[in-house]
Amino acid sequence: MKISTLAPIVMFCVFLTLTSCSTDSLNEDEIITAEIGEAPMAKPLEIEVLELINAYRIEKGLNSLSNNNTVKAVAFTHSDYMRESNDVSHHNFYVRKQSLQENENAQIVSENVAYGYTSAQSVVNAWINSPSHRSNIEGDYTHFDISAEQDEEGDWYYTNIFIKR
């Protein structure tokens, strides 16, 4: 098999490995304080992701989730961090979780992250095809929101956070 054919497959496998989901992961060594700013205006791409996730949940007999500006603001801080650091991760998840517990009375918090997908359908399909990401999408939550931020090269960084109040 040619390297040019194999490279995209290898990159996809590496991507799946690096973009796992997070529920209660805690890396206290990297915790920083986070302030919740105003949620940025929703992009069409973000709205479509939320609609696709809710359509999937309804198809599975689950409740649809409500958007939440605080969740969006917190998701934005992480997508922006990943874009700035060029690092797809769940760094500082504990800070985001704690912030949502304090400001939105969240009982459960989880998140999915992704990188590089150019359409809402492609990122949602990737999450649904990953058992750990799908578990978050199908979880017992009440609210969610997403931030998708684009870097200078046009690559997208996604943070999708789910909460239950």
Side-chain angles (χ1 to χ4, degrees), residues 63-163:
N63 62 302
S64 62
L65 303 176
S66 299
N67 298 35
N68 181 287
N69 279 338
T70 304
V71 173
K72 178 162 188 57
V74 170
F76 170 75
T77 64
H78 189 59
S79 291
D80 194 47
Y81 163 80
M82 291 191 301
R83 181 184 58 79
E84 292 273 328
S85 64
N86 193 30
D87 182 24
V88 181
S89 69
H90 292 287
H91 292 166
N92 305 309
F93 174 74
Y94 181 77
V95 174
R96 292 186 293 287
K97 177 183 175 185
Q98 186 175 31
S99 179
L100 291 166
Q101 288 171 327
E102 292 173 5
N103 293 289
E104 285 298 322
N105 203 25
Q107 303 303 305
I108 302 171
V109 180
S110 69
E111 73 181 10
N112 289 340
V113 300
Y115 166 78
Y117 292 96
T118 58
S119 73
Q121 190 68 63
S122 64
V123 72
V124 171
N125 286 346
W127 284 334
I128 289 171
N129 288 323
S130 163
S132 57
H133 293 93
R134 183 175 57 245
S135 176
N136 283 343
I137 289 173
E138 294 177 354
D140 182 20
Y141 301 107
T142 55
H143 296 81
F144 72 155
D145 224 307
I146 190 167
S147 172
E149 299 305 316
Q150 203 169 27
D151 68 14
E152 292 174 357
E153 289 79 37
D155 295 321
W156 289 95
Y157 293 81
Y158 299 85
T159 304
N160 185 199
I161 298 179
F162 303 84
I163 69 169

Side-chain angles (χ1 to χ4, degrees), residues 17-30:
T17 302
L18 295 175
T19 58
S20 63
C21 65
S22 182
T23 52
D24 288 325
S25 300
L26 175 60
N27 188 350
E28 294 186 68
D29 295 338
E30 299 182 40

